[in-house]
Amino acid sequence: MRKSIIAANWKMNKTPAEAQAFFADWREASSSPCEIVFFPPTVSWQPVAQSAQKTGFHWGLQNAHPAESGAYTGEISLGMVKAVGANYVLVGHSERRQMFGDTDEFVAKKVAAAQKNGITPMLCVGETLPEREQGRAKAVVGQQLKQGLALADFNRPLSLAYEPVWAIGTGKVASPAQAEEMHEFLRRQLTELGGEKFAATPILYGGSVKPDNAGELAQQKNIDGFLVGGASLEASSFSAIVKAWKK
Ligand code: PGA
C-alpha cells in the first residue's frame, strides 16, 4: 500500500493570526486516512506547528537553501527547517523555477540537503502549455525528475508532485486521464531509477484541485494525493477535498 498525502500550499498567504483562525475551523486531520501536510509561509509556522501537535498532521516550509549556513541574505537552511520541527519542504515548485530562477541543479542540491537533514522533500515537476502542445510534456517532466533526483538518496523518504504549469491557479485542471497518464509515466521512471520499493514514492497531483474535481482524480490508480493551492486557503474547501479522498 502506498501512502496517501493531501497537502496545502498556502504560498504567500496568511499571517500568523490568519493561520491560527484557519485551524479554529479545521477538524479533518484526525479522521482522515491520508497524511495531511500544511505548507504555511515561514513567518506563520508557529500556529501551524501548535495545531499540528494537537490534531496530528504534518507541516513543512515552502523553500529552503541547500547550504548549511552562511551569507545568503533572506534564506533559511534545511537544518533550520528541521530545528523548528517541520517534516517537509517543497522543492522545485514551478513558481520558484519561473520567478526565482531555481534550476534543476539547484533543485537537486535542495533535495539532497533536505534528506540529509531528515526532512522529506516534496519535489514538484510539471510542463508548461507550449511544452505540452509541442508533445514534449513527458520529456520535460522526465528530465526534471531525473535531474532533480541526481543527488538523492533512494533509501530516504521522498514525495513527488506532478503539477502541470498550465493548471496552477488557472481553474484549468488536468483531466483525470491526462493526470493518470503522467503519474503512470512517473511511476515507471521511479522504478527504472530506484527499483520497486522506490516506485512506491507517493505522487501527488496539483493544479486547480477543487472539491468538485477531487473525487474523480482520486480514483486514478497512480494518484496518491493532492497538492492544493487556492482551495486550501479556506478550511471548508480544503476539508471538502480531504473528504473527497477515497481509494
Ligand atoms: P492551485 O495551486 O491549486 O491554486 O492551482 C497548486 C500549487 O501551485 O501547488
Side-chain angles (χ1 to χ4, degrees):
M1 263 289 271
R2 295 193 302 264
K3 176 151 94 172
S4 309
I5 304 172
I6 299 189
N9 176 9
W10 283 352
K11 308 190 180 183
M12 201 169 74
N13 296 288
K14 293 195 190 294
T15 61
E18 288 164 346
Q20 191 166 18
F22 177 98
F23 291 108
D25 294 335
W26 168 257
R27 308 260 177 279
E28 287 321 307
S30 45
S31 57
S32 171
C34 310
E35 187 168 300
I36 309 287
V37 186
F38 282 89
F39 290 100
T42 307
V43 295
S44 299
W45 73 271
Q46 261 175 326
V48 178
Q50 275 159 10
S51 297
Q53 239 172 12
K54 272 189 241 149
T55 337
F57 57 80
H58 295 254
W59 64 282
L61 293 174
Q62 298 171 14
N63 182 43
H65 195 280
E68 277 173 32
S69 62
Y72 300 98
T73 301
E75 294 290 321
I76 55 170
S77 74
L78 282 144
M80 292 170 183
V81 175
K82 179 75 184 170
V84 294
N87 319 99
Y88 280 90
V89 67
L90 281 179
V91 182
H93 190 282
S94 63
E95 286 154 14
R96 299 240 28 117
R97 292 179 192 263
Q98 291 192 326
M99 293 187 248
F100 304 102
D102 282 17
T103 60
D104 283 325
E105 291 71 32
F106 199 38
V107 164
K109 285 185 189 163
K110 292 184 186 193
V111 167
Q115 289 187 318
K116 208 174 128 223
N117 281 282
I119 301 284
T120 304
M122 188 171 283
L123 171 62
C124 305
V125 296
E127 82 286 1
T128 61
L129 190 57
E131 287 164 347
R132 177 161 281 266
E133 286 172 348
Q134 290 155 13
R136 293 171 50 225
K138 281 186 189 154
V140 167
V141 166
Q143 189 75 357
Q144 287 175 343
L145 180 75
K146 267 196 204 124
Q147 295 192 356
L149 295 181
L151 307 171
D153 180 342
F154 295 166
N155 293 309
R156 292 206 192 189
L158 171 79
S159 55
L160 282 185
Y162 168 56
E163 297 204 301
V165 178
W166 47 272
I168 296 180
T170 58
K172 225 170 130 188
V173 65
S175 71
Q178 278 174 325
E180 173 59 18
E181 188 184 349
M182 191 61 89
H183 281 236
E184 197 264 338
F185 167 74
L186 285 167
R187 187 86 58 209
R188 269 188 284 125
Q189 302 301 299
L190 289 175
T191 315
E192 275 175 32
L193 284 169
E196 287 298 322
K197 194 169 152 245
F198 189 57
T201 297
I203 311 177
L204 282 59
Y205 169 79
S208 297
V209 175
K210 308 278 180 241
D212 62 356
N213 58 33
E216 214 188 334
L217 287 163
Q219 291 314 307
Q220 306 307 305
K221 200 170 147 226
N222 286 289
I223 295 185
D224 302 321
F226 302 125
L227 179 54
V228 187
S232 71
L233 295 173
E234 295 290 335
S236 59
S237 58
F238 192 54
S239 292
I241 291 171
V242 171
K243 278 199 191 114
W245 183 261
K246 284 194 187 72
K247 260 312 201 217

